[in-house]
Amino acid sequence: MDEIQVPPYFICPISLEMMKDPVTISTGITYDRENIEKWIFLAKNNTCPVTKQFLTSIELTPNITLRRLIQSWCTLNASYGIERFPTPKPQVNKPQIIKLLKEAKSPEMQMKTLKTLRSMASENDANKRCMESAGTPEFLASIINISNEVPDEEGFTSTKEEALSILYQLKLSEHGLRSLIASGNNEFIESLTRVMQRGSYESRAYALMLMKDMFEASTPTPILGLKQEFFTQVVQVLRDEISQKATKASLQVLVQACPWGRNRVKAAEAGAIRVLVDLLLDSSEKRACELMLILLDQICQSAEGRVELLKHAGGLAIVSKKILRVSKAGSERAIKILHSISKFSATPSVVQEMLSLGVVAKLCLVLQVDCGSKAKDRAREILKLHGKAWRSSPCVPMNLKSSYPF
């Protein structure tokens, strides 16, 4: 059989495969829809792959003429086993979505609209971006913002949870995420807090994962105004261990919230320290352990956090145990936690407890291995701070005493 030659203008410049749904971008170059969507939306590129020019718009215009040429070529070469691909389903457009949102007035119509929106969002990333530009996030947020204090009509809760699921599925741009959290009174964050308090396990997870994305895109201002109830509910999700994704999202949300003193105190008062220590006792996954140690370090920079850590029977022990067992970053955070305790909360009983738990021996070991200069400096400072109580103790193994900084 003769080799079939595909005309070069039928080939997608990115994948070198034959186009099935050719679309033209703002630079005038035509690509296969699936491949250019991956380039723009998944890889988050804002340039044309061929010309390297900046994309003035992410709108993808169907190249109908080229698509028909390709389909005709497929038909002419059917005898060689080449199948003619079907005409792609028409893409949604902004006026179509705006009309759909305006019609969703009653609860019954809202649920019908939500099902249509979910179907649109599941088709491709171009639909998601079109939905975002047409005001879909604001529509979904308005459903979620309806207070749970009013009596629920039949299906009201499922409507709210459906809206939250779609909002997370949209994978909003940074601008879209910032718009959600931009409200001066943090209304949307409070709505998500209510979902965490009263929603299903799935909705609570979606609320946390969406909040993580919002915090990563946000300025500090709305995060500084977080209420105590927010921390209480995030810590409760951690305590309930809904799923690995929800746990990791909860940790990331708290890490984003706790560089500031007021939030550290609120996290401590919400019981975060006890939950984190309990989770660390059972966790071996590297990234999760790192996040827990980062968060413990942040909260222990407050007096309230240090008090809570020392209250937990396994607090000092598990922090010490994680040194040299997680990662270099994990070791640095664990030593930083012990440094905060040693410098600001080292009562005689705490100093003795650190000795009996093997914390002092672990710090001596740190000075003998390669674990970073900052970690070694902090370990050395801790040992010097309480050298009088620790240096001559039989609790420190003889092979490590040579490391003790005199």
Side-chain angles (χ1 to χ4, degrees):
M1 183 183 292
D2 295 334
E3 184 179 349
I4 303 298
Q5 295 295 324
V6 180
Y9 44 84
F10 287 7
I11 303 298
C12 177
I14 299 177
S15 65
L16 301 182
E17 297 173 352
M18 189 167 71
M19 296 189 224
K20 294 182 179 179
D21 186 6
V23 292
T24 304
I25 62 174
S26 60
T27 58
I29 306 295
T30 296
Y31 299 91
D32 183 69
R33 181 183 292 277
E34 181 181 355
N35 288 284
I36 195 63
E37 284 183 353
K38 287 179 181 178
W39 172 266
I40 296 173
F41 301 123
L42 292 183
K44 299 187 183 302
N45 291 299
N46 58 3
T47 58
C48 173
V50 171
T51 67
K52 309 304 180 187
Q53 290 177 277
F54 180 76
L55 299 179
T56 57
S57 168
I58 59 172
E59 185 176 354
L60 307 177
T61 306
N63 190 328
I64 298 172
T65 302
L66 181 56
R67 188 191 71 222
R68 287 173 178 169
L69 280 172
I70 298 172
Q71 289 176 323
S72 298
W73 182 88
C74 292
T75 301
L76 289 172
N77 289 278
S79 60
Y80 294 98
I82 297 174
E83 295 183 6
R84 181 185 185 279
F85 56 86
T87 299
K89 184 179 178 181
Q91 298 296 304
V92 299
N93 55 60
K94 192 172 179 179
Q96 177 186 350
I97 297 170
I98 292 173
K99 182 175 182 292
L100 182 68
L101 300 181
K102 284 183 178 179
E103 291 173 348
K105 295 179 180 178
S106 66
E108 295 78 13
M109 283 300 297
Q110 281 183 353
M111 181 54 81
K112 184 178 178 181
T113 299
L114 289 174
K115 289 179 179 178
T116 304
L117 291 173
R118 176 180 287 281
S119 176
M120 288 178 177
S122 64
E123 287 179 6
N124 53 57
D125 289 318
N127 281 6
K128 293 176 184 177
R129 299 288 74 81
C130 184
M131 292 166 69
E132 180 177 339
S133 66
T136 303
E138 291 78 9
F139 168 76
L140 297 171
S142 69
I143 295 176
I144 299 166
N145 279 340
I146 297 174
S147 174
N148 278 333
E149 300 302 323
V150 300
D152 286 347
E153 298 180 31
E154 186 177 355
F156 178 80
T157 301
S158 59
T159 303
K160 182 176 291 193
E161 294 189 343
E162 179 74 1
L164 176 58
S165 171
I166 297 168
L167 189 55
Y168 176 73
Q169 184 186 351
L170 285 179
K171 296 296 180 186
L172 299 178
S173 64
E174 284 194 11
H175 174 74
L177 291 166
R178 283 195 295 270
S179 297
L180 287 178
I181 201 173
S183 172
N185 58 7
N186 282 4
E187 180 185 8
F188 190 60
I189 294 177
E190 291 175 17
S191 296
L192 292 180
T193 302
R194 289 196 295 269
V195 171
M196 285 190 286
Q197 182 181 17
R198 305 177 187 184
S200 64
Y201 276 5
E202 185 178 29
S203 292
R204 293 167 73 194
Y206 278 133
L208 256 304
M209 292 187 288
L210 179 60
M211 198 129 27
K212 175 189 77 72
D213 293 341
M214 288 164 53
F215 280 17
E216 288 173 353
S218 173
T219 61
T221 304
I223 301 176
L224 285 168
L226 295 171
K227 296 182 178 179
Q228 181 63 52
E229 184 62 21
F230 165 85
F231 291 93
T232 300
Q233 295 308 322
V234 176
V235 170
Q236 187 60 51
V237 173
L238 273 178
R239 187 178 286 114
D240 291 343
E241 297 186 67
I242 294 172
S243 67
Q244 287 186 347
K245 280 188 175 181
T247 295
K248 192 166 287 188
S250 301
L251 293 169
Q252 290 168 321
V253 163
L254 289 172
V255 166
Q256 290 284 340
C258 287
W260 295 279
R262 285 178 294 175
N263 287 350
R264 291 171 185 159
V265 173
K266 290 173 185 175
E269 291 175 350
I273 293 287
R274 174 163 291 279
V275 175
L276 289 168
V277 171
D278 290 343
L279 288 173
L280 265 178
L281 288 167
D282 298 324
S283 179
S284 58
E285 200 271 312
K286 176 183 172 182
R287 183 54 183 158
C289 286
E290 285 179 342
L291 288 169
M292 292 174 202
L293 290 167
I294 290 170
L295 191 50
L296 279 173
D297 170 34
Q298 290 176 326
I299 302 174
C300 282
Q301 290 177 45
S302 70
E304 291 82 357
R306 294 190 293 273
V307 167
E308 291 299 315
L309 182 71
L310 294 172
K311 274 184 185 178
H312 196 297
L316 288 174
I318 190 60
V319 171
S320 173
K321 183 179 179 180
K322 292 299 179 181
I323 296 175
L324 304 179
R325 290 196 178 190
V326 178
S327 64
K328 185 176 179 180
S331 295
E332 287 180 353
R333 289 291 181 166
I335 292 169
K336 200 174 171 194
I337 294 165
L338 296 176
H339 185 266
S340 293
I341 297 294
S342 298
K343 195 169 184 179
F344 302 111
S345 304
T347 63
S349 61
V350 169
V351 170
Q352 186 58 41
E353 183 183 1
M354 292 176 76
L355 186 64
S356 62
L357 288 173
V359 174
V360 181
K362 180 62 75 78
L363 292 172
C364 288
L365 181 60
V366 165
L367 299 181
Q368 293 188 348
V369 300
D370 180 21
C371 65
S373 58
K374 285 186 178 179
K376 285 191 175 187
D377 288 346
R378 284 199 178 94
R380 190 176 289 110
E381 186 177 346
I382 295 170
L383 292 169
K384 284 182 177 179
L385 276 172
H386 307 293
K388 188 174 182 181
W390 292 341
R391 192 176 296 147
S392 303
S393 172
C395 293
V396 182
M398 290 300 297
N399 63 316
L400 295 178
K401 280 197 172 181
S402 60
S403 299
Y404 206 101
F406 289 90

